[in-house]
Amino acid sequence: MVVKFSERVAGIEISGIRKIFEAAGPGSINLGLGQPDFDTPQHIKDAAITALQEGKTGYTPGNGIPELRAAISKKLWRENGIKYHPDQVLVTAGASEALHIVMQALVNPGDRVLCPDPGFVSYASLATIACGTPVSVPLTETLHIDLEKAKALMDGAKIFVLNSPANPTGAVEDKESIRAIVEYAADKGVTVVSDEVYEHFIYGKKHYSAALFGDNVITINATSKTYAMTGWRLGYLAASPEIVGQCLKVHQYCQACATSISQYAAVAAYEGDQSAVATMRDEYQARRDLIWGGLVKMGFDFPKPEGAFYAFVPMKPALTQKIIAGGVIAVPGPAFGVNAPEYTRFSYATSRQNIMTALERIEKLVQ
Ligand SMILES: Cc1ncc(COP(=O)(O)O)c(C=O)c1O
């Protein structure tokens, strides 16, 4: 039997990043991965072990256990200065699920979803899966959102996806840019979906949550990057009660609830000692300096990454292929949209030793 798949799913590509890993030879240094190389802090693991031992292994309330929603509400006030009642928090299976259910709850067929391009691989695909039309928002030379071009696209759009600090560029938007986007979007009736998963990994600048500047914002975040918990699949969205109510319906039917054990661990993450986050931040900054300094010395000209753990480097595709074949895994720009055909993303979520070896290999290839 020939199965006729839905056009919206058949028409999207499997993530370009997977293909690179498959093409890499043995002994390659992996600068392709977008996940922390640190282990989850022990006190968070201990909370999960306790939850398991206490038999907290059943379904939880669909929107998340009350103690976690309270902890997230407190975190959003303490760290971000934004007030969300615990009932305005919906706990999800990572930021990925939060992005998915927001698109499902808001997007009607053909609705325009403005996505940074280059941007995180999921935004445009999730918009397409929701039957929306993803629209590329171009970046400036310094890889920040091009405000004027963004504003020009806003008329009649449904969602503006904001991601600061950004994957794959490492750019951090200024307070005034974020304010301008949120206020302009409010004027045009556009909802801003603010993906803040890298908020703690910023090297010099300050993070501003989009929700500081308007109530037309859905805040999305996760334990994944902040606490080195990518495999625990635990994130959340925070929004108006109306939005949370609609998103909860999608969440209940596709997910039921986030993993119970991960929810108890996340309470420990948000309420416990935060020193591991600062330690990881400092290490990422040292690695950022190492990789940026090394590549600039070789003649690559690009802005110093301001946050997240990526260097987004202008580079001809032929050289990118040579580098991958030469034993350094990196992700070519086209994986992140249509606007960066001649860029390559290097992740520095790996040891300084690996970064130094990778730089040595690259140097030999560019000579
Ligand atoms: C910008 C951005 N948002 C969301 C995610 C997904 O996060 P999670 O693992 O919590 O689903 C990633 C993962 O790489 C990301 O880079």
Side-chain angles (χ1 to χ4, degrees), residues 43-78:
H43 67 282
I44 301 175
K45 290 184 183 175
D46 288 341
I49 292 165
T50 304
L52 268 173
Q53 283 170 339
E54 290 178 352
K56 291 174 172 160
T57 52
Y59 291 125
T60 73
N63 56 352
I65 55 172
E67 48 273 58
L68 176 55
R69 287 185 292 105
I72 292 169
S73 160
K74 274 201 283 180
K75 172 262 184 258
L76 286 165
W77 176 242
R78 182 180 71 233

PDB file of all heavy atoms in Angstrom, residues 43-78:
ATOM      1  N   HIS A  43      22.722  17.884  42.917  1.00  0.00           N
ATOM      2  CA  HIS A  43      21.522  18.067  43.765  1.00  0.00           C
ATOM      3  C   HIS A  43      20.241  17.898  42.944  1.00  0.00           C
ATOM      4  O   HIS A  43      19.198  17.526  43.470  1.00  0.00           O
ATOM      5  CB  HIS A  43      21.546  19.417  44.491  1.00  0.00           C
ATOM      6  CG  HIS A  43      21.426  20.620  43.601  1.00  0.00           C
ATOM      7  ND1 HIS A  43      22.469  21.116  42.853  1.00  0.00           N
ATOM      8  CD2 HIS A  43      20.369  21.415  43.322  1.00  0.00           C
ATOM      9  CE1 HIS A  43      22.064  22.173  42.168  1.00  0.00           C
ATOM     10  NE2 HIS A  43      20.794  22.386  42.429  1.00  0.00           N
ATOM     11  N   ILE A  44      20.343  18.140  41.623  1.00  0.00           N
ATOM     12  CA  ILE A  44      19.168  17.959  40.755  1.00  0.00           C
ATOM     13  C   ILE A  44      18.927  16.463  40.527  1.00  0.00           C
ATOM     14  O   ILE A  44      17.803  15.968  40.612  1.00  0.00           O
ATOM     15  CB  ILE A  44      19.372  18.723  39.421  1.00  0.00           C
ATOM     16  CG1 ILE A  44      19.575  20.222  39.706  1.00  0.00           C
ATOM     17  CG2 ILE A  44      18.210  18.473  38.467  1.00  0.00           C
ATOM     18  CD1 ILE A  44      19.900  21.063  38.477  1.00  0.00           C
ATOM     19  N   LYS A  45      20.048  15.744  40.292  1.00  0.00           N
ATOM     20  CA  LYS A  45      19.920  14.278  40.143  1.00  0.00           C
ATOM     21  C   LYS A  45      19.363  13.661  41.424  1.00  0.00           C
ATOM     22  O   LYS A  45      18.530  12.751  41.367  1.00  0.00           O
ATOM     23  CB  LYS A  45      21.295  13.661  39.861  1.00  0.00           C
ATOM     24  CG  LYS A  45      21.876  13.966  38.507  1.00  0.00           C
ATOM     25  CD  LYS A  45      23.175  13.169  38.409  1.00  0.00           C
ATOM     26  CE  LYS A  45      23.926  13.395  37.150  1.00  0.00           C
ATOM     27  NZ  LYS A  45      25.213  12.693  37.150  1.00  0.00           N
ATOM     28  N   ASP A  46      19.847  14.166  42.574  1.00  0.00           N
ATOM     29  CA  ASP A  46      19.383  13.603  43.856  1.00  0.00           C
ATOM     30  C   ASP A  46      17.875  13.773  44.011  1.00  0.00           C
ATOM     31  O   ASP A  46      17.189  12.873  44.499  1.00  0.00           O
ATOM     32  CB  ASP A  46      20.104  14.293  45.032  1.00  0.00           C
ATOM     33  CG  ASP A  46      21.573  13.871  45.115  1.00  0.00           C
ATOM     34  OD1 ASP A  46      21.927  12.825  44.526  1.00  0.00           O
ATOM     35  OD2 ASP A  46      22.364  14.595  45.761  1.00  0.00           O
ATOM     36  N   ALA A  47      17.371  14.929  43.582  1.00  0.00           N
ATOM     37  CA  ALA A  47      15.918  15.169  43.697  1.00  0.00           C
ATOM     38  C   ALA A  47      15.152  14.176  42.828  1.00  0.00           C
ATOM     39  O   ALA A  47      14.076  13.696  43.210  1.00  0.00           O
ATOM     40  CB  ALA A  47      15.589  16.605  43.308  1.00  0.00           C
ATOM     41  N   ALA A  48      15.716  13.843  41.667  1.00  0.00           N
ATOM     42  CA  ALA A  48      15.059  12.870  40.781  1.00  0.00           C
ATOM     43  C   ALA A  48      15.081  11.483  41.417  1.00  0.00           C
ATOM     44  O   ALA A  48      14.086  10.744  41.373  1.00  0.00           O
ATOM     45  CB  ALA A  48      15.767  12.847  39.426  1.00  0.00           C
ATOM     46  N   ILE A  49      16.225  11.139  42.028  1.00  0.00           N
ATOM     47  CA  ILE A  49      16.345   9.816  42.673  1.00  0.00           C
ATOM     48  C   ILE A  49      15.334   9.702  43.818  1.00  0.00           C
ATOM     49  O   ILE A  49      14.631   8.701  43.954  1.00  0.00           O
ATOM     50  CB  ILE A  49      17.807   9.599  43.165  1.00  0.00           C
ATOM     51  CG1 ILE A  49      18.732   9.475  41.947  1.00  0.00           C
ATOM     52  CG2 ILE A  49      17.909   8.366  44.063  1.00  0.00           C
ATOM     53  CD1 ILE A  49      20.219   9.628  42.249  1.00  0.00           C
ATOM     54  N   THR A  50      15.224  10.784  44.599  1.00  0.00           N
ATOM     55  CA  THR A  50      14.254  10.777  45.702  1.00  0.00           C
ATOM     56  C   THR A  50      12.834  10.608  45.160  1.00  0.00           C
ATOM     57  O   THR A  50      12.034   9.825  45.693  1.00  0.00           O
ATOM     58  CB  THR A  50      14.375  12.094  46.517  1.00  0.00           C
ATOM     59  OG1 THR A  50      15.728  12.222  46.945  1.00  0.00           O
ATOM     60  CG2 THR A  50      13.445  12.104  47.714  1.00  0.00           C
ATOM     61  N   ALA A  51      12.528  11.334  44.088  1.00  0.00           N
ATOM     62  CA  ALA A  51      11.182  11.235  43.506  1.00  0.00           C
ATOM     63  C   ALA A  51      10.896   9.791  43.072  1.00  0.00           C
ATOM     64  O   ALA A  51       9.815   9.249  43.321  1.00  0.00           O
ATOM     65  CB  ALA A  51      11.045  12.191  42.321  1.00  0.00           C
ATOM     66  N   LEU A  52      11.900   9.167  42.467  1.00  0.00           N
ATOM     67  CA  LEU A  52      11.746   7.763  42.041  1.00  0.00           C
ATOM     68  C   LEU A  52      11.510   6.855  43.244  1.00  0.00           C
ATOM     69  O   LEU A  52      10.602   6.026  43.246  1.00  0.00           O
ATOM     70  CB  LEU A  52      13.028   7.304  41.336  1.00  0.00           C
ATOM     71  CG  LEU A  52      13.115   7.460  39.834  1.00  0.00           C
ATOM     72  CD1 LEU A  52      14.526   7.097  39.360  1.00  0.00           C
ATOM     73  CD2 LEU A  52      12.096   6.583  39.129  1.00  0.00           C
ATOM     74  N   GLN A  53      12.347   7.068  44.278  1.00  0.00           N
ATOM     75  CA  GLN A  53      12.239   6.199  45.463  1.00  0.00           C
ATOM     76  C   GLN A  53      10.911   6.397  46.175  1.00  0.00           C
ATOM     77  O   GLN A  53      10.381   5.476  46.775  1.00  0.00           O
ATOM     78  CB  GLN A  53      13.417   6.455  46.406  1.00  0.00           C
ATOM     79  CG  GLN A  53      14.686   5.785  45.883  1.00  0.00           C
ATOM     80  CD  GLN A  53      15.932   6.203  46.633  1.00  0.00           C
ATOM     81  OE1 GLN A  53      15.945   7.256  47.281  1.00  0.00           O
ATOM     82  NE2 GLN A  53      16.982   5.407  46.524  1.00  0.00           N
ATOM     83  N   GLU A  54      10.379   7.605  46.074  1.00  0.00           N
ATOM     84  CA  GLU A  54       9.089   7.868  46.733  1.00  0.00           C
ATOM     85  C   GLU A  54       7.909   7.477  45.850  1.00  0.00           C
ATOM     86  O   GLU A  54       6.761   7.735  46.188  1.00  0.00           O
ATOM     87  CB  GLU A  54       9.008   9.351  47.119  1.00  0.00           C
ATOM     88  CG  GLU A  54       9.960   9.698  48.254  1.00  0.00           C
ATOM     89  CD  GLU A  54       9.939  11.181  48.623  1.00  0.00           C
ATOM     90  OE1 GLU A  54       9.297  11.984  47.905  1.00  0.00           O
ATOM     91  OE2 GLU A  54      10.580  11.527  49.633  1.00  0.00           O
ATOM     92  N   GLY A  55       8.224   6.913  44.695  1.00  0.00           N
ATOM     93  CA  GLY A  55       7.149   6.407  43.834  1.00  0.00           C
ATOM     94  C   GLY A  55       6.386   7.488  43.086  1.00  0.00           C
ATOM     95  O   GLY A  55       5.234   7.291  42.699  1.00  0.00           O
ATOM     96  N   LYS A  56       7.048   8.617  42.861  1.00  0.00           N
ATOM     97  CA  LYS A  56       6.350   9.704  42.146  1.00  0.00           C
ATOM     98  C   LYS A  56       6.470   9.481  40.642  1.00  0.00           C
ATOM     99  O   LYS A  56       7.087  10.268  39.917  1.00  0.00           O
ATOM    100  CB  LYS A  56       6.933  11.049  42.572  1.00  0.00           C
ATOM    101  CG  LYS A  56       6.576  11.369  44.020  1.00  0.00           C
ATOM    102  CD  LYS A  56       7.247  12.611  44.514  1.00  0.00           C
ATOM    103  CE  LYS A  56       6.709  12.996  45.883  1.00  0.00           C
ATOM    104  NZ  LYS A  56       7.627  13.882  46.609  1.00  0.00           N
ATOM    105  N   THR A  57       5.874   8.359  40.222  1.00  0.00           N
ATOM    106  CA  THR A  57       6.101   7.906  38.855  1.00  0.00           C
ATOM    107  C   THR A  57       4.827   7.878  38.005  1.00  0.00           C
ATOM    108  O   THR A  57       4.820   7.333  36.906  1.00  0.00           O
ATOM    109  CB  THR A  57       6.719   6.492  38.883  1.00  0.00           C
ATOM    110  OG1 THR A  57       5.884   5.670  39.703  1.00  0.00           O
ATOM    111  CG2 THR A  57       8.128   6.489  39.449  1.00  0.00           C
ATOM    112  N   GLY A  58       3.755   8.464  38.530  1.00  0.00           N
ATOM    113  CA  GLY A  58       2.504   8.456  37.763  1.00  0.00           C
ATOM    114  C   GLY A  58       2.315   9.739  36.976  1.00  0.00           C
ATOM    115  O   GLY A  58       3.194  10.613  36.964  1.00  0.00           O
ATOM    116  N   TYR A  59       1.168   9.818  36.298  1.00  0.00           N
ATOM    117  CA  TYR A  59       0.825  11.081  35.631  1.00  0.00           C
ATOM    118  C   TYR A  59       0.790  12.203  36.669  1.00  0.00           C
ATOM    119  O   TYR A  59       0.419  11.977  37.821  1.00  0.00           O
ATOM    120  CB  TYR A  59      -0.588  11.012  35.028  1.00  0.00           C
ATOM    121  CG  TYR A  59      -0.764  10.084  33.854  1.00  0.00           C
ATOM    122  CD1 TYR A  59      -1.732   9.094  33.895  1.00  0.00           C
ATOM    123  CD2 TYR A  59      -0.013  10.241  32.699  1.00  0.00           C
ATOM    124  CE1 TYR A  59      -1.955   8.257  32.814  1.00  0.00           C
ATOM    125  CE2 TYR A  59      -0.232   9.399  31.611  1.00  0.00           C
ATOM    126  CZ  TYR A  59      -1.191   8.416  31.671  1.00  0.00           C
ATOM    127  OH  TYR A  59      -1.409   7.593  30.600  1.00  0.00           O
ATOM    128  N   THR A  60       1.134  13.393  36.238  1.00  0.00           N
ATOM    129  CA  THR A  60       0.984  14.565  37.115  1.00  0.00           C
ATOM    130  C   THR A  60      -0.174  15.390  36.553  1.00  0.00           C
ATOM    131  O   THR A  60      -0.675  15.081  35.463  1.00  0.00           O
ATOM    132  CB  THR A  60       2.260  15.428  37.107  1.00  0.00           C
ATOM    133  OG1 THR A  60       2.333  16.127  35.854  1.00  0.00           O
ATOM    134  CG2 THR A  60       3.516  14.596  37.310  1.00  0.00           C
ATOM    135  N   PRO A  61      -0.582  16.467  37.260  1.00  0.00           N
ATOM    136  CA  PRO A  61      -1.550  17.357  36.616  1.00  0.00           C
ATOM    137  C   PRO A  61      -1.020  17.785  35.245  1.00  0.00           C
ATOM    138  O   PRO A  61       0.198  17.957  35.073  1.00  0.00           O
ATOM    139  CB  PRO A  61      -1.614  18.551  37.573  1.00  0.00           C
ATOM    140  CG  PRO A  61      -1.195  17.997  38.908  1.00  0.00           C
ATOM    141  CD  PRO A  61      -0.196  16.911  38.605  1.00  0.00           C
ATOM    142  N   GLY A  62      -1.900  17.947  34.283  1.00  0.00           N
ATOM    143  CA  GLY A  62      -1.485  18.246  32.910  1.00  0.00           C
ATOM    144  C   GLY A  62      -0.588  19.470  32.813  1.00  0.00           C
ATOM    145  O   GLY A  62       0.403  19.473  32.066  1.00  0.00           O
ATOM    146  N   ASN A  63      -0.896  20.497  33.570  1.00  0.00           N
ATOM    147  CA  ASN A  63      -0.087  21.726  33.457  1.00  0.00           C
ATOM    148  C   ASN A  63       1.190  21.686  34.293  1.00  0.00           C
ATOM    149  O   ASN A  63       1.991  22.623  34.255  1.00  0.00           O
ATOM    150  CB  ASN A  63      -0.919  22.970  33.806  1.00  0.00           C
ATOM    151  CG  ASN A  63      -1.556  22.897  35.170  1.00  0.00           C
ATOM    152  OD1 ASN A  63      -1.508  21.840  35.823  1.00  0.00           O
ATOM    153  ND2 ASN A  63      -2.147  23.991  35.613  1.00  0.00           N
ATOM    154  N   GLY A  64       1.404  20.615  35.046  1.00  0.00           N
ATOM    155  CA  GLY A  64       2.629  20.478  35.828  1.00  0.00           C
ATOM    156  C   GLY A  64       2.324  20.437  37.315  1.00  0.00           C
ATOM    157  O   GLY A  64       1.256  20.883  37.745  1.00  0.00           O
ATOM    158  N   ILE A  65       3.254  19.895  38.112  1.00  0.00           N
ATOM    159  CA  ILE A  65       3.011  19.816  39.562  1.00  0.00           C
ATOM    160  C   ILE A  65       3.001  21.238  40.135  1.00  0.00           C
ATOM    161  O   ILE A  65       3.768  22.100  39.679  1.00  0.00           O
ATOM    162  CB  ILE A  65       4.057  18.919  40.283  1.00  0.00           C
ATOM    163  CG1 ILE A  65       5.502  19.387  39.998  1.00  0.00           C
ATOM    164  CG2 ILE A  65       3.885  17.455  39.878  1.00  0.00           C
ATOM    165  CD1 ILE A  65       6.564  18.658  40.830  1.00  0.00           C
ATOM    166  N   PRO A  66       2.127  21.490  41.118  1.00  0.00           N
ATOM    167  CA  PRO A  66       2.000  22.858  41.642  1.00  0.00           C
ATOM    168  C   PRO A  66       3.317  23.425  42.160  1.00  0.00           C
ATOM    169  O   PRO A  66       3.620  24.603  41.945  1.00  0.00           O
ATOM    170  CB  PRO A  66       0.989  22.709  42.793  1.00  0.00           C
ATOM    171  CG  PRO A  66       0.257  21.441  42.517  1.00  0.00           C
ATOM    172  CD  PRO A  66       1.180  20.552  41.738  1.00  0.00           C
ATOM    173  N   GLU A  67       4.150  22.559  42.817  1.00  0.00           N
ATOM    174  CA  GLU A  67       5.394  23.107  43.382  1.00  0.00           C
ATOM    175  C   GLU A  67       6.358  23.565  42.276  1.00  0.00           C
ATOM    176  O   GLU A  67       7.114  24.515  42.463  1.00  0.00           O
ATOM    177  CB  GLU A  67       6.069  22.148  44.372  1.00  0.00           C
ATOM    178  CG  GLU A  67       6.248  20.711  43.945  1.00  0.00           C
ATOM    179  CD  GLU A  67       5.053  19.809  44.236  1.00  0.00           C
ATOM    180  OE1 GLU A  67       3.947  20.113  43.744  1.00  0.00           O
ATOM    181  OE2 GLU A  67       5.247  18.768  44.892  1.00  0.00           O
ATOM    182  N   LEU A  68       6.305  22.915  41.110  1.00  0.00           N
ATOM    183  CA  LEU A  68       7.189  23.356  40.019  1.00  0.00           C
ATOM    184  C   LEU A  68       6.649  24.645  39.390  1.00  0.00           C
ATOM    185  O   LEU A  68       7.405  25.581  39.107  1.00  0.00           O
ATOM    186  CB  LEU A  68       7.331  22.264  38.947  1.00  0.00           C
ATOM    187  CG  LEU A  68       8.160  22.663  37.722  1.00  0.00           C
ATOM    188  CD1 LEU A  68       9.569  23.151  38.132  1.00  0.00           C
ATOM    189  CD2 LEU A  68       8.284  21.501  36.741  1.00  0.00           C
ATOM    190  N   ARG A  69       5.335  24.715  39.199  1.00  0.00           N
ATOM    191  CA  ARG A  69       4.796  25.954  38.619  1.00  0.00           C
ATOM    192  C   ARG A  69       5.051  27.141  39.550  1.00  0.00           C
ATOM    193  O   ARG A  69       5.354  28.243  39.102  1.00  0.00           O
ATOM    194  CB  ARG A  69       3.313  25.777  38.281  1.00  0.00           C
ATOM    195  CG  ARG A  69       3.148  24.882  37.045  1.00  0.00           C
ATOM    196  CD  ARG A  69       1.726  24.747  36.568  1.00  0.00           C
ATOM    197  NE  ARG A  69       0.905  24.018  37.497  1.00  0.00           N
ATOM    198  CZ  ARG A  69      -0.007  24.552  38.304  1.00  0.00           C
ATOM    199  NH1 ARG A  69      -0.260  25.847  38.268  1.00  0.00           N
ATOM    200  NH2 ARG A  69      -0.702  23.789  39.122  1.00  0.00           N
ATOM    201  N   ALA A  70       4.989  26.888  40.862  1.00  0.00           N
ATOM    202  CA  ALA A  70       5.297  27.965  41.823  1.00  0.00           C
ATOM    203  C   ALA A  70       6.776  28.340  41.735  1.00  0.00           C
ATOM    204  O   ALA A  70       7.134  29.526  41.758  1.00  0.00           O
ATOM    205  CB  ALA A  70       4.941  27.509  43.241  1.00  0.00           C
ATOM    206  N   ALA A  71       7.644  27.336  41.603  1.00  0.00           N
ATOM    207  CA  ALA A  71       9.093  27.607  41.525  1.00  0.00           C
ATOM    208  C   ALA A  71       9.423  28.400  40.253  1.00  0.00           C
ATOM    209  O   ALA A  71      10.261  29.307  40.263  1.00  0.00           O
ATOM    210  CB  ALA A  71       9.875  26.291  41.547  1.00  0.00           C
ATOM    211  N   ILE A  72       8.756  28.069  39.167  1.00  0.00           N
ATOM    212  CA  ILE A  72       9.007  28.780  37.901  1.00  0.00           C
ATOM    213  C   ILE A  72       8.479  30.215  37.994  1.00  0.00           C
ATOM    214  O   ILE A  72       9.137  31.168  37.560  1.00  0.00           O
ATOM    215  CB  ILE A  72       8.385  28.012  36.711  1.00  0.00           C
ATOM    216  CG1 ILE A  72       9.135  26.692  36.489  1.00  0.00           C
ATOM    217  CG2 ILE A  72       8.406  28.869  35.439  1.00  0.00           C
ATOM    218  CD1 ILE A  72       8.456  25.720  35.522  1.00  0.00           C
ATOM    219  N   SER A  73       7.293  30.371  38.599  1.00  0.00           N
ATOM    220  CA  SER A  73       6.731  31.708  38.779  1.00  0.00           C
ATOM    221  C   SER A  73       7.706  32.567  39.607  1.00  0.00           C
ATOM    222  O   SER A  73       7.976  33.727  39.269  1.00  0.00           O
ATOM    223  CB  SER A  73       5.368  31.572  39.468  1.00  0.00           C
ATOM    224  OG  SER A  73       4.980  32.762  40.068  1.00  0.00           O
ATOM    225  N   LYS A  74       8.273  31.978  40.669  1.00  0.00           N
ATOM    226  CA  LYS A  74       9.237  32.716  41.514  1.00  0.00           C
ATOM    227  C   LYS A  74      10.502  33.043  40.713  1.00  0.00           C
ATOM    228  O   LYS A  74      11.057  34.131  40.805  1.00  0.00           O
ATOM    229  CB  LYS A  74       9.612  31.882  42.745  1.00  0.00           C
ATOM    230  CG  LYS A  74       8.639  32.056  43.910  1.00  0.00           C
ATOM    231  CD  LYS A  74       9.277  31.667  45.241  1.00  0.00           C
ATOM    232  CE  LYS A  74       9.347  30.162  45.390  1.00  0.00           C
ATOM    233  NZ  LYS A  74       9.930  29.648  46.625  1.00  0.00           N
ATOM    234  N   LYS A  75      10.960  32.081  39.933  1.00  0.00           N
ATOM    235  CA  LYS A  75      12.164  32.288  39.105  1.00  0.00           C
ATOM    236  C   LYS A  75      11.943  33.438  38.123  1.00  0.00           C
ATOM    237  O   LYS A  75      12.815  34.286  37.922  1.00  0.00           O
ATOM    238  CB  LYS A  75      12.487  30.979  38.359  1.00  0.00           C
ATOM    239  CG  LYS A  75      13.588  31.082  37.328  1.00  0.00           C
ATOM    240  CD  LYS A  75      13.032  31.265  35.917  1.00  0.00           C
ATOM    241  CE  LYS A  75      14.072  31.276  34.848  1.00  0.00           C
ATOM    242  NZ  LYS A  75      14.459  32.546  34.295  1.00  0.00           N
ATOM    243  N   LEU A  76      10.776  33.473  37.499  1.00  0.00           N
ATOM    244  CA  LEU A  76      10.522  34.506  36.489  1.00  0.00           C
ATOM    245  C   LEU A  76      10.509  35.894  37.134  1.00  0.00           C
ATOM    246  O   LEU A  76      10.917  36.884  36.511  1.00  0.00           O
ATOM    247  CB  LEU A  76       9.195  34.222  35.764  1.00  0.00           C
ATOM    248  CG  LEU A  76       9.270  33.052  34.768  1.00  0.00           C
ATOM    249  CD1 LEU A  76       7.868  32.585  34.359  1.00  0.00           C
ATOM    250  CD2 LEU A  76      10.068  33.444  33.520  1.00  0.00           C
ATOM    251  N   TRP A  77      10.087  35.976  38.372  1.00  0.00           N
ATOM    252  CA  TRP A  77      10.102  37.252  39.082  1.00  0.00           C
ATOM    253  C   TRP A  77      11.534  37.587  39.533  1.00  0.00           C
ATOM    254  O   TRP A  77      12.046  38.677  39.285  1.00  0.00           O
ATOM    255  CB  TRP A  77       9.126  37.208  40.265  1.00  0.00           C
ATOM    256  CG  TRP A  77       9.171  38.459  41.088  1.00  0.00           C
ATOM    257  CD1 TRP A  77       9.523  38.574  42.402  1.00  0.00           C
ATOM    258  CD2 TRP A  77       8.882  39.805  40.640  1.00  0.00           C
ATOM    259  NE1 TRP A  77       9.481  39.890  42.800  1.00  0.00           N
ATOM    260  CE2 TRP A  77       9.088  40.669  41.732  1.00  0.00           C
ATOM    261  CE3 TRP A  77       8.490  40.347  39.416  1.00  0.00           C
ATOM    262  CZ2 TRP A  77       8.908  42.051  41.655  1.00  0.00           C
ATOM    263  CZ3 TRP A  77       8.320  41.734  39.326  1.00  0.00           C
ATOM    264  CH2 TRP A  77       8.516  42.556  40.440  1.00  0.00           C
ATOM    265  N   ARG A  78      12.195  36.605  40.151  1.00  0.00           N
ATOM    266  CA  ARG A  78      13.535  36.803  40.723  1.00  0.00           C
ATOM    267  C   ARG A  78      14.575  37.129  39.635  1.00  0.00           C
ATOM    268  O   ARG A  78      15.338  38.069  39.759  1.00  0.00           O
ATOM    269  CB  ARG A  78      13.927  35.504  41.442  1.00  0.00           C
ATOM    270  CG  ARG A  78      15.273  35.505  42.158  1.00  0.00           C
ATOM    271  CD  ARG A  78      15.519  34.143  42.839  1.00  0.00           C
ATOM    272  NE  ARG A  78      15.775  33.064  41.885  1.00  0.00           N
ATOM    273  CZ  ARG A  78      15.107  31.917  41.856  1.00  0.00           C
ATOM    274  NH1 ARG A  78      14.131  31.672  42.701  1.00  0.00           N
ATOM    275  NH2 ARG A  78      15.429  30.979  40.957  1.00  0.00           N
TER     276      ARG A  78
END
